Amino acid sequence: MSNHLRTQSLVFGIPWPELNEGLFYSDVVPHSDSELTLIDFYSRKYKNSAPLQGWLQRIQNGQISVDGRVVKDPNTILSGDSVLVYHRLPWKEPDVPHLLEVLYEDDDMVALNKPSGLQVLPGGLFQQRTVLTQLCWSVKKQNSTLNSQETHPVPVHRLGRGTSGILVCAKTKVAKTRLAAYFADGTSRVGATSNRKAERSGTRKISKIYRALVTGILVDDKVIINQPIGIVRYPGVAKGLYVASPSGKPALSKVEVLERDEKQNCTLVQVEIESGRPHQIRIHLSFIGHPLLGDPLYIAGDQPRCFDPELVDESFAQDGGYQRPTNPVPGDCGYYLHAHQLVLSHPTTNEMISITAPLSSILQTSDEANGSLGSMSVNSAN
């Protein structure tokens, strides 16, 4: 991507290879863990990665080295300061889109239209097939003949894998710091003691508006949801699952009905979020009894589908890790949620920039579908 203002559509992306490159994880044994066996070290420290039998398989398969030497004996005694390296073998990641559309670009930032299904940052099964990888490859491709050390843009916030729409990325360290602060600021404001106090504390630097299709017919034209969001234990999600929880962190969503479809029993809504909790819109809409249409995880009510926090599956996959959970997980797709509009203060000029990502037909109102009002636009104003 070039380093000048771009407001016309550009699509880029490189097809994914069959297998990724695998991963290498390094550890230095602390003196407090000296005299532990190799299997004890990994099965205790990384029990969320694989069960005991899975780590035994990885060791016996020669995937772990100690101070540069492959060790296959799980009962090897470790010494303090020894360097351990675990090699996760290459694997085929699930099929996902690889093309990204540029909605806006200048010397400091780039706004992309992320397709549903593509993960933003590496995690879980997706270590290569991510937005971050495509950004890195794009810069390498452009500078392959220039021997340039230019760094690639980096996302300053996240969108769920199944969520499409505007994703903001920074191209400089200054832009990254300021843009990330904009997104964090909205969340901290919601956490203030009162909304009035938050509003008086300064002008918001960013506004985020989403489109969503929800199940059922919302009666009220406008709904404000301020249900806190917390974390609970959930099988297949190592760090826990985000859910509506009275003891969670503050979150605020403003929902406005755009169109009701009585025949299909669904409602098209616009959602403005002032905070940015993970899966906030999905959680909030399911909390009020109108989950996103097609959402495999968050259903109407307080708890996700198939919720059983005590269930732990100790079986392991071919690579020694846990089996992919049979229950739905947050990264599963199928719902309709789109980051449609974004207004933000430019990180260096402070100019207000408005960016709009195109809407798919299912997320357009009847008037938009007839008049093509969902097309992309980029505007700026002082």
Side-chain angles (χ1 to χ4, degrees):
M1 290 174 288
S2 60
N3 293 325
H4 64 275
L5 175 64
R6 185 190 301 277
T7 58
Q8 293 183 342
S9 177
L10 167 72
V11 176
F12 71 96
I14 298 174
W16 306 113
E18 183 69 14
L19 299 177
N20 62 25
E21 299 175 348
L23 293 170
F24 291 88
Y25 300 91
S26 298
D27 282 283
V28 176
V29 179
H31 287 278
S32 59
D33 287 341
S34 62
E35 304 304 319
L36 278 182
T37 63
L38 187 61
I39 184 61
D40 282 343
F41 179 87
Y42 277 102
S43 63
R44 292 180 185 180
K45 186 171 183 179
Y46 297 109
K47 60 183 178 181
N48 287 330
S49 171
L52 175 64
Q53 293 300 317
W55 279 116
L56 282 171
Q57 173 181 295
R58 291 170 172 178
I59 294 171
Q60 294 166 352
N61 196 38
Q63 293 176 243
I64 296 177
S65 65
V66 180
D67 294 328
R69 180 175 60 89
V70 172
V71 175
K72 295 186 178 182
D73 181 2
N75 294 314
T76 298
I77 302 298
L78 300 177
S79 302
D81 295 330
S82 287
V83 177
L84 309 181
V85 177
Y86 157 57
H87 179 205
R88 184 177 179 183
L89 301 176
W91 71 94
K92 184 182 186 306
E93 299 181 14
D95 293 332
V96 298
H98 69 275
L99 294 177
L100 291 160
E101 180 184 14
V102 176
L103 300 174
Y104 173 89
E105 184 180 15
D106 60 27
D107 290 342
D108 300 292
M109 57 177 280
V110 56
L112 306 174
N113 187 11
K114 185 189 85 69
S116 174
L118 181 60
Q119 191 158 298
V120 175
L121 299 177
L125 291 174
F126 299 96
Q127 296 295 327
Q128 182 182 70
R129 299 185 179 190
T130 66
V131 172
L132 186 64
T133 299
Q134 288 294 346
L135 289 170
C136 181
W137 287 353
S138 176
V139 170
K140 286 183 177 180
K141 181 179 179 181
Q142 290 184 27
N143 298 315
S144 59
T145 60
L146 302 178
N147 193 29
S148 172
Q149 298 299 314
E150 180 182 358
T151 58
H152 58 79
V154 293
V156 296
H157 64 112
R158 297 196 189 196
L159 293 179
R161 189 168 81 86
T163 304
S164 59
I166 303 169
L167 178 71
V168 178
C169 306
K171 299 171 70 173
T172 68
K173 290 183 178 179
V174 171
K176 178 182 178 182
T177 299
R178 293 179 180 174
L179 289 169
Y182 294 171
F183 282 90
D185 181 60
T187 301
S188 64
R189 286 170 181 266
V190 172
T193 55
S194 70
N195 286 337
R196 289 184 178 179
K197 178 180 177 181
E199 289 171 2
R200 289 196 301 266
S201 63
T203 304
R204 291 173 58 194
K205 295 284 189 178
I206 192 167
S207 174
K208 301 166 286 184
I209 295 178
Y210 290 71
R211 282 287 179 96
L213 190 63
V214 305
T215 58
I217 304 300
L218 268 74
V219 177
D220 296 327
D221 292 337
K222 295 184 179 181
V223 180
I224 295 179
I225 311 170
N226 57 7
Q227 172 66 28
I229 292 175
I231 302 178
V232 295
R233 188 183 179 198
Y234 186 82
V237 184
K239 295 182 179 180
L241 181 69
Y242 288 91
V243 297
S245 170
S247 60
K249 295 181 178 180
L252 178 64
S253 301
K254 299 178 179 180
V255 182
E256 181 177 346
V257 172
L258 299 178
E259 200 164 77
R260 298 178 177 90
D261 189 336
E262 301 280 353
K263 291 183 178 180
Q264 299 297 326
N265 190 35
C266 59
T267 305
L268 181 64
V269 298
Q270 171 178 291
V271 185
E272 180 179 5
I273 58 172
E274 295 190 9
S275 52
R277 306 296 178 196
H279 315 299
Q280 175 175 320
I281 294 176
R282 298 170 66 189
I283 294 169
H284 272 179
L285 288 170
S286 68
F287 177 76
I288 65 170
H290 295 279
L292 297 186
L293 185 65
D295 195 324
L297 176 62
Y298 294 105
I299 58 175
D302 291 344
Q303 301 295 342
R305 189 188 306 271
C306 305
F307 180 60
D308 184 358
E310 301 304 319
L311 177 64
V312 177
D313 184 2
E314 290 291 331
S315 63
F316 59 95
Q318 185 176 358
D319 71 342
Y322 287 108
Q323 295 278 10
R324 173 171 170 76
T326 55
N327 289 343
V329 293
D332 291 342
C333 304
Y335 54 88
Y336 299 96
L337 179 61
H338 182 70
H340 179 41
Q341 295 175 320
L342 181 73
V343 178
L344 79 162
S345 175
H346 191 276
T348 59
T349 68
N350 291 322
E351 179 184 26
M352 295 305 296
I353 298 173
S354 175
I355 303 171
T356 303
L359 293 165
S360 62
S361 58
I362 198 169
L363 291 176
Q364 292 181 358
T365 65
S366 299
D367 288 342
E368 288 170 337
N370 294 331
S372 300
L373 297 179
S375 59
M376 179 192 71
S377 66
V378 178
N379 299 300
S380 62
N382 294 326

